[in-house]
Amino acid sequence: MARKKRVLFVCQEITPFLEETEIGKIGRYLPQGTQERKKEIRTFMPRYGYINERRSQLHEVVRLSGLNLIIDGTDHPLIIKVASIQQARMQVYFIDNDDYFHRKALLFDEEGKLFEDNNERLVFFNRGTLEIVKKLGWAPGIIHCHGWFSSLLPLYVKTAYHSNPLFSDAKVVLSVYNDRFKGKLREMERYMSFPGVEKKAIRVYRKGTWKDLMFGAIAYADAFIQGSPTIDPEVNAVIKATGKPFLPFHSTETDGYIDAYNDFYDSLMPSEDDV
């Protein structure tokens, strides 16, 4: 019997846990559609304090919690929670930490400015997701990143985690959206560093602007999807210059985009041998 192909979705937002956005809608329906097309899925997002745990029926997964991530010399407990979307028959894993994700907000303060610790929160979410996938012992064929808050995944998968057999054959797909923010994340080189990641590999991210996060993710991703009807022209040009596989924009108003995305996944993953 052939083993099912596996897709890991790492999403900045997912409906219905947050208000519906372009990314949140895709984060909700694309994993479901992918699962319905006979692939195995896992889906991760941050456990923002804005999410109502009781209404969403989140609960901690004790067997997965308990790890500490060291960021800039400080230990930060990694808490894993899970919730089910019953009508989709799928689970969502939430990366949580009391210091980073319990404020009643997402990524910006009441004035629309980036939180000062978004650099650390970004690192914690991206590293935490990969650590939990390791703990699950689940090897994805595709890792699909949605939103700038997943922009470190391509770097980490191709450097510190590449020697791990769970990730060594994974193809990283980056969806690029119109989710640009003003300002920048501070001291990215300082907070992104940990064993297995050389400083020269981080340099493309170092200024911490939205474009720098995109340029870094583009440098390490294997393939790209245009997630919004229009995307930043400079970012688009850099993507095209890589010569890597690229899927143009497909409207989410019909299920056709789910078929297009899954055909794209199939083109990147080798055929599975019988097991």
Side-chain angles (χ1 to χ4, degrees):
M1 181 178 177
R3 189 175 65 189
K4 288 183 178 180
K5 294 181 178 180
R6 294 173 169 179
V7 183
L8 171 64
F9 296 95
V10 186
C11 302
Q12 184 169 303
E13 305 161 34
I14 298 176
T15 303
F17 304 107
L18 301 169
E19 294 180 7
E20 185 171 295
T21 63
E22 182 178 51
I23 297 174
K25 183 178 179 181
I26 291 178
R28 161 64 179 84
Y29 293 103
L30 178 60
Q32 177 185 349
T34 299
Q35 182 171 254
E36 290 170 351
R37 285 154 180 79
K38 309 304 181 184
K39 292 181 174 68
E40 287 186 23
I41 65 163
R42 296 288 186 275
T43 305
F44 284 76
M45 70 172 289
R47 209 296 291 178
Y48 303 109
Y50 187 75
I51 296 170
N52 186 308
E53 289 201 9
R54 180 175 297 178
R55 185 184 306 131
S56 300
Q57 298 183 332
L58 269 68
H59 62 273
E60 183 175 352
V61 184
V62 177
R63 69 181 179 86
L64 296 177
S65 298
L67 293 174
N68 281 351
L69 296 184
I70 300 174
I71 300 176
D72 194 34
T74 302
D75 279 4
H76 298 275
L78 176 58
I79 301 167
I80 305 304
K81 295 176 180 176
V82 69
S84 296
I85 302 177
Q86 296 294 344
Q87 60 270 41
R89 296 183 179 179
M90 65 181 244
Q91 288 187 321
V92 176
Y93 293 88
F94 293 82
I95 299 294
D96 197 5
N97 173 271
D98 288 350
D99 294 327
Y100 291 144
F101 294 112
H102 275 219
R103 68 199 67 170
K104 300 297 182 182
L106 302 185
L107 302 170
F108 305 92
D109 64 19
E110 293 179 352
E111 298 178 352
K113 296 180 180 179
L114 291 165
F115 286 116
E116 284 292 318
D117 64 349
N118 271 352
N119 49 4
E120 297 180 58
R121 299 171 84 210
L122 175 64
V123 170
F124 187 87
F125 174 63
N126 285 255
R127 285 179 55 189
T129 294
L130 295 175
E131 287 297 328
I132 296 308
V133 173
K134 277 175 56 179
K135 206 163 186 180
L136 288 169
W138 192 80
I142 296 289
I143 300 174
H144 193 169
C145 304
H146 297 267
W148 65 263
F149 209 64
S150 64
S151 60
L152 306 188
L153 260 294
L155 165 69
Y156 288 152
V157 170
K158 299 300 181 180
T159 55
Y161 292 84
H162 190 64
S163 61
N164 188 303
L166 292 176
F167 302 107
S168 57
D169 295 326
K171 301 295 184 183
V172 181
V173 177
L174 174 70
S175 276
V176 180
Y177 298 93
N178 276 328
D179 61 342
R180 187 170 180 172
F181 58 79
K182 294 180 180 179
K184 61 182 181 179
L185 307 184
R186 59 188 177 86
E187 298 183 273
M188 289 300 293
E189 286 181 287
R190 171 181 168 185
Y191 290 99
M192 287 175 64
S193 297
F194 72 102
V197 182
E198 296 182 8
K199 285 193 173 182
K200 65 180 181 180
I202 300 173
R203 287 173 187 161
V204 66
Y205 291 90
R206 68 184 182 277
K207 293 181 181 179
T209 66
W210 178 85
K211 280 190 179 181
D212 287 298
L213 297 184
M214 290 298 101
F215 293 154
I218 291 167
Y220 292 98
D222 296 294
F224 309 97
I225 294 176
Q226 181 174 324
S228 298
T230 60
I231 57 176
D232 181 89
E234 187 178 356
V235 168
N236 190 40
V238 172
I239 288 173
K240 295 294 181 61
T242 67
K244 297 175 183 177
F246 175 79
L247 182 68
F249 175 73
H250 283 69
S251 173
T252 59
E253 295 305 310
T254 69
D255 284 345
Y257 83 96
I258 297 177
D259 288 322
Y261 280 36
N262 274 266
D263 289 344
F264 193 60
Y265 298 154
D266 291 339
S267 73
L268 299 170
M269 285 189 281
S271 297
E272 297 278 358
D273 294 328
D274 287 348
V275 294

